[in-house]
Amino acid sequence: MKRFIFVILALVCTACCSRPQNFNVIPMPASVNLSEGSFCVKGARVSIDQDLDSSSVAAVWRFIGSLETATGRKCRAGDGGFRFTLDEGLEAEEYALDIRPDGVLVRASGLNGFVYACETIKQMLPAAVYGSVRAGANWVLPCAQIQDKPRFAWRGVLLDAGRHFWSVEETKRIIDVMTAYKLNRFHWHLTDDQGWRVEIKAYPRLTETGAWRSGTQIGRDKDSSDGIRYGGYYTQDELRDVVDYAAARGIIVIPEIDLPGHTVSALASYPELGCTGGPYEVRQRWGISQDILCAGNEETFTFIERVLTEVMDIFPSEYIHFGGDECFGDRIERQGLVPWDKCPRCAARMKELGIKPGHEARHYLQNYVSARIQKFLVDNGRKVIGWDEILQGDLAPGSTIMSWRGTKGGIEAAGKGFDVIMSPNTFMYIDYYQTREQDKEPLCYGKYLPLEKVYSYEPLDGMPDEAGHRILGVQCNLWTEFIGTPRHLEYMLLPRMCAASEVQWCAAGAKDFARFDASLDHSFEIFDAMGLDYCLACRGLIGYDRLPARDSLELAEYLSGLEK
Ligand code: TNX
């Protein structure tokens, strides 16, 4: 009996050690060994090896800067404190930390590794290290050896700037919080029916006209409009500024120009690009429009190529996203004819291509448009990504599919040998409600996607073994039809993005919802320090025991304040 108890105790004890107490880093690093003792970061010395590249050195000094601000003490160059050293044996995003009472050794092989090492250290410190003021706190790091690298290379967030426009400043705040959770792809949805947000020099009306709508649907009432002119766009300089800001943090910005559907804002600017010639107006309500770029008109392709040429000049990313979704929504499919079916130029194009008339014809015509866009981008040295609708018909090899209508499209595409990014609406659409008390939450798209469901996602579920390597990664998508303020935007993003970060980063089988959930309290303090809003009720029901630090408000007041 004694021996039995001893064995149980020993098992419990090893379990405690492998899951360190008070270690609240999200996403959980691959390997963590906490040991006795601690290292004081206040006024610590810093030495950076000469062979680090300039972007890594800049990232290290940004990190040191945040330590200095929060602790109120300068960190001077010198030995015996933090040492940042290049280790080319590590993978591109890998890092290692050795924290001892007499110093901290940080190893990585490049920018992303150094950024993630610094972010892990920051999450191990009091949350005030994320703030912009000096704070009295216990500025010590627990001693530990940490070795860490991500499961997936693509760890994305989509931000929809088409339905609502987000300032450069707000966009950078989103990039900051992505950095803190080691995400590395910022998918910027820049054009939609309700607004065109990219300055294109060859087509100035896209932003003079297309960036502005004369009203916005009120709540869920599709026939309403608030009559208030709304809009905005980014100049090319502003876009480049965001690209550089993200790049300095190891984040690649992938622009999406949604084609050939979701283009009413472009049609309102240049009506000759549509099948009917218009007039069109920048859409005020949500949902899918039947009006799309005319596939029979050569001018459409000139337009697409000129726009994409400027886009490629602004965005150095290997990938360009050309949309391809919802050209003909399900309801439209059932209703019958769409402008493409009735357009003589589209008919001539189908004839020329030998596309047989019938229900499928429009999909083959869309394939033709996709293939031309793809060829153009590939000829210019880029790769293409499209939403899973582009799988209908024949798809040119080399495309990457973003699976959004559940996981089906992704599984099918991977099976056919295409690269895939999984962003299934069933697990990764963070524009859906996060509690069951939806009447109390700010209005949003609808449906229900609680934190736990996001966390539970296993990207290789249902994937044939031999196709698993096609999954580049995972992305959560923040569509903004019903999100009009930065505070509401952050509330929808956080903390579900943190749950996504563990799906994206942690090895299969390394996730543990109870551990994650317990770590979240520390993340809430981080959001408070960063001045970000978040959903405290993400745990299922609205039953707040406290509110985000920014106000001392009643719950109802707090929630309604998010929308103003
Ligand atoms: C579907 S995801 C869309 C978006 C909407 C979103 C709302 C995709 C390719 N299309 O246009 O904003 O649903 O959840």
Side-chain angles (χ1 to χ4, degrees), residues 163 192 262 325-326 387 404 429 431-432 445 479 481:
R163 275 53 175 270
D192 217 304
H262 286 276
D325 60 315
E326 299 179 326
W387 297 108
W404 77 273
Y429 269 38
D431 56 334
Y432 299 169
Y445 186 84
W479 299 101
E481 287 95 329

Side-chain angles (χ1 to χ4, degrees), residues 339-400:
W340 273 11
D341 302 321
K342 296 181 269 184
C343 166
R345 283 185 296 197
C346 287
R349 178 78 81 194
M350 290 198 233
K351 200 165 166 214
E352 166 201 325
L353 296 169
I355 298 174
K356 290 189 199 71
H359 185 64
E360 291 291 299
R362 58 180 76 151
H363 295 300
Y364 285 101
L365 188 55
Q366 189 186 344
N367 275 166
Y368 165 77
V369 176
S370 302
R372 276 188 72 169
I373 296 172
Q374 179 174 3
K375 181 170 186 314
F376 179 73
L377 290 169
V378 169
D379 286 350
N380 282 279
R382 305 299 176 104
K383 291 184 175 170
V384 295
I385 306 178
W387 297 108
D388 58 43
E389 281 93 336
I390 66 171
L391 273 173
Q392 286 160 326
D394 306 316
L395 179 62
S399 320
T400 296

